[in-house]
Amino acid sequence: MSERRTVLFVDDEVRLLRALERGVADEPYDKLFAESAKEALMLLEENDVQVLVTDMRMPEMSGLDLLRIVKQRYPNIVRIVLSGYTQVTTLLTAINEGEIYRFITKPWKMEEDFRPCIRQALEYHDRQTERDQASDALVTADQSDNAD
Amino acid sequence: MYSANASPLRILILEDDMIDGQQIKRMLSRSSLVLDRIELTDYLENGLQLLAVQDLDIILLDLNLPDSNGLATLKSIENTCPSVAKIVITGEGDEQLGLQAVAQGAQDYLIKGGFDANTLIRAIHYSLERKKSEKALRESKSQLDAMLESLGDPMIMVDKALCIIWTNEANTNLFGDDAIGNQCHMFYHDEETPCTSESSAIIQAFQDGGAHSCDALMTDKNDRQRYFHWTANAALRDKEGKPTTVIAIGRDITDRKTAEESIRSAYNEVERANHELKEMQSQVVQSEKLASIGQLAAGVAHEMNTPVGFVSCNFETLESYLKKILELLDMYEVLARCVEASDKNHRLETLKRIKEAKVKMRFDEILGDLQGLFEDSREGLGRVTSIIQNLRDFSRIDQACDLAEYNLNEGIKTTLTVARNEVKYDAEVKTEFGDVPTVFCNAGQINQVFLNILVNAVQAIRSQERETPGTILIRTYSTDTDVVCEIQDNGPGISEDKLPRIFDPFFTTKPAGKGTGLGLSVSYDIIVNKHKGQIWVDSNSNEGTKFTITLPLTVAATDNADAESIPAGG
Ligand SMILES: Nc1ncnc2c1ncn2[C@@H]1O[C@H](COP(=O)(O)OP(=O)(O)OP(=O)(O)O)[C@@H](O)[C@H]1O
Ligand SMILES: [Mg+2]
């Protein structure tokens, strides 16, 4: 894949965003940072984003609400939660309603978990797109050969 | 007078002296008496036969007959027909015998040859009348007897010497037939000495002539223990009105007593259960404290996870920075050696490699970032430190004794920091701290109360799913007697029907798993029972809720004026 890829990070704690920025500085993709769900939605309108990493608990609009909107408006964006809030109920809603690709808990390991996770998410995104394109082609060609 | 008796008389004359007999018969038939018939016979045997087949009204009886003598004659007649009136005719000088006869059932007596018609008629009238009233008396007595006997309750009559002079059948059935003549304490309790006047209703009744009652445990003739409730009252009195006999009736209350006893033991059981419940409640206070701290822990964890998250992330970055810096340092080492060896070619080459490496690792950016990295990390560590400090302040885990000086404003600040994460997404907290003296109390518990109320307010606001955050206003001030804290929210309020129940244990309107309904009941216990303060609520639907808590100054640790001075004798 030769096109540029972009990952958007959302957290209401700016120091956390800066730490992430340091951590992924050498990674081969563009990074966007938003301090609120609203800001994230604005950035999404102006940028082509492949992976979204968001906190759950944020003032005004929660991560869960953001995930719902993103899922609806940009279904191809791979969604990852980075949160310290590990209550089972929240977790389940996030997974069920937001269709989360991964759930990373705070604090996290950059080298071991975080960077590999995002790389995999990007790969997953690419595979997904390829498959979608392929199946689109198939759908046009043969309606019956549409299975997964 | 006797004319009232309309029915004609049937008379039997039992007289072995036929002349005397005939004479009496004559006297009768010439009298004004209305007669049915007059029988005359000389043998007792014949008389009895007659009596067996005929209804008669009166018998004139000579005691000495050919086949029977003296009082025995009367007895035979009496046995055969007790309801017939009897006049005994005795010989001259035998008045004594006549009196005895009257005592044994005859209504009157006449002296042989010593009476005229008038005397005879009068005696007949008198005897009939007497027999009639005797009969009436006997009837009412037998009614009374039947009544007393049919009474299931034992009944006794006792004289002044406490001797039993009469008992009913129930008493006999229950306690035996040897009551009469025995003193009651002897008969019932096998005691030589009478019961004390306090314990005996009978003795009390003799003393003041009033009705009295007492309960006594008695042993019946079958050796069973039964409880009786005795009521005693004066039966007969002397001229001064003092009782001469007392009648007492006992009621078997064994069942009632047993019931009472089982009620009492049930009551004791309830008492014990209540006690246990109280103990359990204080354990609940403890576990509730743990629960809400556990609940808080999730919030606190989140609060800590963020700073710990970015500090540890920065730490990892720093490690990679350091690796690069060390890499560069190695190159500078090489460079230093080149300078030392004046190896110009190698020096230039090394310089070039250093320059390239710096570009590759974006060394300037790293240098520029280092300060920010440290600042962010220091701030994050500071945040974690203060959270831990506040947690410790909040629960006062380091506080040795339960009660200590407590500053209301500080307590609320600590609680707010601890609850920050729970609150900040839903409400804005405003505080108006007044000048409050310290009070003596258990800081951990009081903070617990503030936390419960604060969390309730936030949960109430959150339940509204509103566009803009709610407001929680916390005010403190003091009065002459108390320090006061008001916590007011502009949430949904509490409806009138729920208002009286919010302090009840387990009352909750929150979904299962969200609320245990213990927060406010525990708070009430802490403020009212443990600290003698007050807690109340003002709420209007749609306008929000205000909780007010007061803590008394009376146990305030020190006076503001001499806060520094050491109390005398302390
Ligand atoms: N500030 C408030 N505004 C509206 N309702 C309130 C407020 N505070 C308490 N209540 C009502 O009172 C009830 C009892 O409160 P309480 O704190 O005792 O229990 P809970 O909050 O339901 O459960 P827990 O505190 O054990 O988690 C609540 O369920 C709620 O209905
Ligand atoms: Mg509560």
Side-chain angles (χ1 to χ4, degrees):
Chain A
M1 300 279 142
S2 54
E3 331 113 53
R4 295 166 66 86
R5 263 102 44 91
T6 307
V7 179
L8 170 60
F9 301 91
V10 191
D11 199 298
D12 62 326
E13 175 56 64
V14 65
R15 287 178 187 83
L16 188 129
L17 288 179
R18 284 207 290 267
L20 288 179
E21 191 177 0
R22 290 180 189 109
V24 295
D26 290 337
E27 293 293 289
Y29 42 80
D30 287 346
K31 300 102 191 170
L32 290 172
F33 299 92
E35 285 180 48
S36 70
K38 260 191 191 145
E39 198 188 333
L41 287 172
M42 266 159 54
L43 286 170
L44 284 171
E45 273 181 37
E46 291 157 11
N47 297 278
D48 197 12
V49 171
Q50 280 71 49
V51 173
L52 168 79
V53 180
T54 180
D55 186 17
M56 286 299 275
R57 251 188 140 179
M58 295 183 290
E60 291 178 60
M61 189 189 289
S62 73
L64 189 61
D65 291 336
L66 174 66
L67 288 166
R68 282 196 196 114
I69 295 172
V70 169
K71 185 194 159 199
Q72 198 206 346
R73 287 193 205 159
Y74 314 97
N76 292 329
I77 294 181
V78 179
R79 298 170 291 276
I80 295 173
V81 166
L82 171 65
S83 177
Y85 205 66
T86 51
Q87 274 191 352
V88 184
T89 44
T90 333
L91 223 138
L92 284 178
T93 0
I95 290 171
N96 292 335
E97 294 186 28
E99 285 179 26
I100 304 303
Y101 172 70
R102 284 287 161 78
F103 199 108
I104 307 174
T105 54
K106 294 178 187 172
W108 65 97
K109 291 241 164 42
M110 213 62 202
E111 174 81 48
E112 273 175 49
D113 302 327
F114 196 86
R115 286 196 291 253
C117 175
I118 292 182
R119 261 179 247 139
Q120 285 160 19
L122 282 167
E123 277 165 31
Y124 176 78
H125 176 269
D126 292 348
R127 268 206 317 280
Q128 206 69 7
T129 331
E130 268 171 41
R131 205 196 60 181
D132 285 354
Q133 283 164 358
S135 71
D136 278 356
L138 274 172
V139 166
T140 17
D142 184 358
Q143 206 66 22
S144 68
D145 201 8
N146 182 14
D148 199 334
Chain B
M1 240 206 310
Y2 195 69
S3 56
N5 187 2
S7 55
L9 286 173
R10 298 156 300 183
I11 300 174
L12 168 67
I13 304 166
L14 244 175
E15 174 61 82
D16 59 340
D17 186 334
M18 274 305 143
I19 297 169
D20 284 354
Q22 286 299 340
Q23 195 189 343
I24 292 170
K25 201 172 171 181
R26 243 188 337 270
M27 275 188 210
L28 290 173
S29 28
R30 284 182 196 153
S31 77
S32 58
L33 290 171
V34 187
L35 296 169
D36 178 1
R37 66 189 114 97
I38 299 172
E39 306 282 352
L40 176 61
T41 186
D42 51 359
Y43 276 74
L44 175 66
E45 177 86 49
N46 299 341
L48 290 176
Q49 271 172 15
L50 246 162
L51 282 166
V53 294
Q54 289 192 25
D55 280 339
L56 292 164
D57 298 306
I58 189 158
I59 304 171
L60 298 170
L61 178 66
D62 185 351
L63 286 181
N64 295 322
L65 299 175
D67 54 351
S68 175
N69 252 325
L71 289 173
T73 316
L74 177 67
K75 200 163 188 177
S76 304
I77 298 289
E78 181 71 17
N79 285 344
T80 317
C81 49
S83 60
V84 182
K86 295 162 211 77
I87 298 171
V88 167
I89 299 163
T90 60
E92 213 173 332
D94 241 354
E95 259 178 72
Q96 200 55 41
L97 186 67
L99 283 172
Q100 279 174 16
V102 168
Q104 290 185 26
Q107 276 65 49
D108 205 353
Y109 70 93
L110 293 166
I111 308 292
K112 206 173 242 184
F115 59 88
D116 57 11
N118 283 339
T119 321
L120 174 67
I121 305 301
R122 222 188 57 224
I124 287 174
H125 279 316
Y126 173 74
S127 296
L128 284 169
E129 194 60 26
R130 191 161 166 195
K131 190 75 202 169
K132 209 172 105 187
S133 56
E134 261 177 27
K135 193 178 156 202
L137 204 68
R138 198 169 41 241
E139 269 169 13
S140 71
K141 182 176 182 299
S142 72
Q143 270 173 11
L144 195 70
D145 282 349
M147 226 164 72
L148 294 177
E149 296 314 338
S150 71
L151 200 69
D153 295 335
M155 202 168 169
I156 53 167
M157 207 135 93
V158 175
D159 69 10
K160 258 179 167 164
L162 300 178
C163 277
I164 299 169
I165 53 176
W166 174 86
T167 76
N168 70 346
E169 188 136 334
N171 192 78
T172 310
N173 292 341
L174 267 164
F175 298 107
D177 55 9
D178 51 346
I180 309 287
N182 266 314
Q183 286 188 302
C184 54
H185 45 90
M186 197 55 205
F187 175 65
Y188 288 113
H189 303 300
D190 248 345
E191 286 288 344
E192 296 286 340
T193 46
C195 307
T196 57
S197 61
E198 295 86 64
S199 67
S200 165
I202 293 178
I203 295 176
Q204 287 166 28
F206 273 117
Q207 279 171 352
D208 63 10
H212 293 275
S213 60
C214 64
D215 288 355
L217 181 63
M218 344 254 308
T219 311
D220 70 10
K221 65 178 181 192
N222 298 321
D223 270 340
R224 282 182 315 166
Q225 300 254 302
R226 321 230 14 118
Y227 273 104
F228 277 86
H229 178 75
W230 288 95
T231 309
N233 206 348
L236 301 173
R237 293 165 194 271
D238 63 15
K239 274 176 276 172
E240 281 114 55
K242 286 208 151 199
T244 54
T245 52
V246 160
I247 194 152
I249 180 161
R251 163 133 294 183
D252 188 337
I253 52 163
T254 312
D255 290 348
R256 202 185 80 198
K257 279 271 178 190
T258 335
E260 272 175 13
E261 227 125 77
S262 59
I263 285 173
R264 194 173 307 125
S265 74
Y267 177 79
N268 288 341
E269 190 71 10
V270 168
E271 279 277 83
R272 227 196 42 229
N274 196 19
H275 186 74
E276 276 173 14
L277 211 66
K278 279 203 179 123
E279 272 180 1
M280 259 165 63
Q281 210 195 355
S282 73
Q283 282 167 13
V284 166
V285 172
Q286 282 304 316
S287 63
E288 160 70 4
K289 185 169 166 178
L290 292 179
S292 77
I293 284 184
Q295 182 191 333
L296 253 191
V300 168
H302 184 244
E303 194 83 341
M304 302 232 270
N305 282 335
T306 299
V308 169
F310 66 74
V311 170
S312 76
C313 181
N314 285 342
F315 198 72
E316 224 181 308
T317 304
L318 192 62
E319 215 178 342
S320 74
Y321 284 179
L322 190 66
K323 236 185 239 160
K324 290 169 182 170
I325 290 168
L326 288 177
E327 221 175 278
L328 266 187
L329 207 62
D330 274 350
M331 293 187 199
Y332 276 109
E333 202 60 41
V334 175
L335 185 66
R337 261 182 263 128
C338 292
V339 172
E340 223 168 16
S342 306
D343 181 347
K344 198 173 176 206
N345 284 343
H346 201 189
R347 196 176 66 203
L348 286 175
E349 192 195 322
T350 310
L351 262 177
K352 196 175 147 231
R353 273 179 51 213
I354 289 177
K355 225 173 249 168
E356 280 168 6
K358 273 187 174 171
V359 173
K360 196 181 157 224
M361 65 177 66
R362 292 197 288 264
F363 187 66
D364 291 342
E365 277 176 45
I366 291 179
L367 277 190
D369 184 44
L370 268 180
Q371 195 175 348
L373 187 151
F374 275 103
E375 261 165 31
D376 283 357
S377 302
R378 190 176 307 115
E379 199 275 348
L381 286 174
R383 217 191 284 174
V384 173
T385 311
S386 96
I387 290 167
I388 290 169
Q389 180 63 42
N390 278 311
L391 260 186
R392 191 162 42 214
D393 286 353
F394 176 79
S395 59
R396 283 293 168 95
I397 39 181
D398 52 352
Q399 185 176 301
C401 73
D402 267 4
L403 295 179
E405 273 184 43
Y406 177 78
N407 182 304
L408 191 61
N409 295 343
E410 292 307 317
I412 289 167
K413 278 183 208 160
T414 308
T415 309
L416 280 174
T417 349
V418 170
R420 196 181 89 105
N421 195 65
E422 189 72 28
V423 179
K424 69 177 175 192
Y425 302 107
D426 300 288
E428 191 192 339
V429 178
K430 289 183 187 154
T431 50
E432 287 174 20
F433 289 137
D435 238 358
V436 286
T438 52
V439 287
F440 219 54
C441 61
N442 183 317
Q445 289 180 356
I446 302 296
N447 289 346
Q448 164 90 18
V449 172
F450 291 138
L451 181 71
N452 284 337
I453 293 174
L454 201 63
V455 168
N456 279 348
V458 174
Q459 288 173 339
I461 288 169
R462 191 180 299 151
S463 74
Q464 292 180 297
E465 297 188 348
R466 45 207 279 167
E467 296 286 303
T468 52
T471 311
I472 297 172
L473 173 65
I474 303 180
R475 284 182 63 218
T476 61
Y477 57 93
S478 61
T479 67
D480 290 348
T481 50
D482 301 275
V483 292
V484 185
C485 173
E486 293 174 358
I487 301 179
Q488 183 162 18
D489 66 64
N490 63 352
I494 303 169
S495 62
E496 217 169 297
D497 59 316
K498 293 187 188 110
L499 216 48
R501 298 171 57 202
I502 58 166
F503 290 104
D504 293 351
F506 303 113
F507 175 77
T508 180
T509 56
K510 290 162 195 171
K514 277 270 162 60
T516 53
L518 283 173
L520 287 178
S521 74
V522 166
S523 301
Y524 185 91
D525 185 55
I526 290 173
I527 297 296
V528 178
N529 299 333
K530 296 203 163 59
H531 288 88
K532 307 296 166 219
Q534 283 173 291
I535 177 169
W536 69 89
V537 62
D538 297 296
S539 184
N540 280 321
S541 278
N542 304 320
E543 281 177 33
T545 306
K546 183 171 83 176
F547 280 90
T548 309
I549 293 152
T550 71
L551 289 169
L553 287 175
T554 44
V555 283
T558 42
D559 226 300
N560 278 346
D562 55 13
E564 310 287 34
S565 68
I566 297 154

